[in-house]
Amino acid sequence: KKQAPGPTATVGVPFTYTLTIPVMWQPIATGGGTEFDQPSPNTLSNATIYDDLTAIGASATYQGNTYSINGVPQPGSLALWTGAPPNVSDPIVGDGTKRIVFSYANNPALANIPAGTRIQVQMTVVLDDVPSNIPGKTFTNTAKWWFGRVVGDVAYEPLPGESGVSPPMTIVEPGLTLQKAGSQSNLNVGTEATFRLDVQNTGGGD
């Protein structure tokens, strides 16, 4: 599951995506049917998360992360993996700035995910100050993940999880205007006058 912080973003102002794994459909205890946003009833292992910022439709760069387990913040952050991760079915390579990989190989929290456990990664990025990031451009971020699971007595890995797709965000920018007015049209030496500076932001960003 991939969540965006809001509908807009501004060049140079960091914002944070939230990635949650696993998120599953589960039967509702009463009333029948199913509901989304539930943890797995099975133990998962060897999870790898991949977030390709070069494919979102805008130019953005990774800034850092924090993470929590079942809503409890954890010390430090998840370590990045650079190069080809050890257990994915796609030919991806992490570079630590735009192709972001969190692997079980250097993150114990992803090596073993007990039943009923979910991990949330708060991943901070920033829109780059480049000509292509123009106001009005819309972008969407997709995160992929893989994991292992024992079915019966057989271990299967890598299994693809359902990708998380964030709601679209739109690039906005501030638009400052300045008007200046004076209290008098003519001034003599030694005469005081008051000037009024009226600054307004008529753009779409703070």
Side-chain angles (χ1 to χ4, degrees):
K1 181 179 180 180
K2 186 75 175 283
Q3 295 170 284
T8 62
T10 301
V11 170
V13 180
F15 62 96
T16 301
Y17 286 116
T18 300
L19 297 79
T20 304
I21 64 164
V23 175
M24 304 185 67
W25 291 98
Q26 293 291 323
I28 298 175
T30 59
T34 58
E35 61 181 345
F36 195 52
D37 205 16
Q38 296 298 307
S40 173
N42 304 292
T43 295
L44 306 181
S45 63
N46 295 354
T48 293
I49 305 170
Y50 176 53
D51 197 321
D52 186 359
L53 296 177
T54 69
I56 69 175
S59 180
T61 300
Y62 170 81
Q63 298 281 288
N65 80 85
T66 58
Y67 75 104
S68 59
I69 298 177
N70 285 343
V72 179
Q74 302 298 303
S77 59
L78 291 181
L80 293 178
W81 181 273
T82 56
N87 74 326
V88 299
S89 54
D90 288 358
I92 63 174
V93 174
D95 63 12
T97 58
K98 293 184 178 295
R99 294 178 174 88
I100 306 306
V101 176
F102 303 111
S103 174
Y104 73 94
N106 59 342
N107 289 291
L110 299 177
N112 180 63
I113 304 176
T117 298
R118 290 199 300 187
I119 297 174
Q120 285 189 319
V121 184
Q122 294 80 36
M123 192 180 82
T124 300
V125 304
V126 65
L127 292 176
D128 301 323
D129 187 8
V130 295
S132 61
N133 280 345
I134 60 175
K137 173 177 279 191
T138 298
F139 61 95
T140 300
N141 192 348
T142 298
K144 300 179 180 181
W145 73 296
W146 296 262
F147 62 95
R149 180 188 161 191
V150 175
V151 180
D153 294 325
V154 180
Y156 294 91
E157 181 187 332
L159 297 173
E162 183 175 353
S163 297
V165 182
S166 68
M169 299 180 71
T170 301
I171 299 176
V172 296
E173 68 177 5
L176 297 181
T177 64
L178 169 63
Q179 293 183 332
K180 183 177 180 180
S183 61
Q184 300 182 41
S185 58
N186 295 291
L187 287 178
N188 295 320
V189 174
T191 301
E192 292 186 352
T194 300
F195 290 93
R196 181 173 180 266
L197 305 179
D198 183 3
V199 181
Q200 296 188 35
N201 180 5
T202 60
D206 293 339

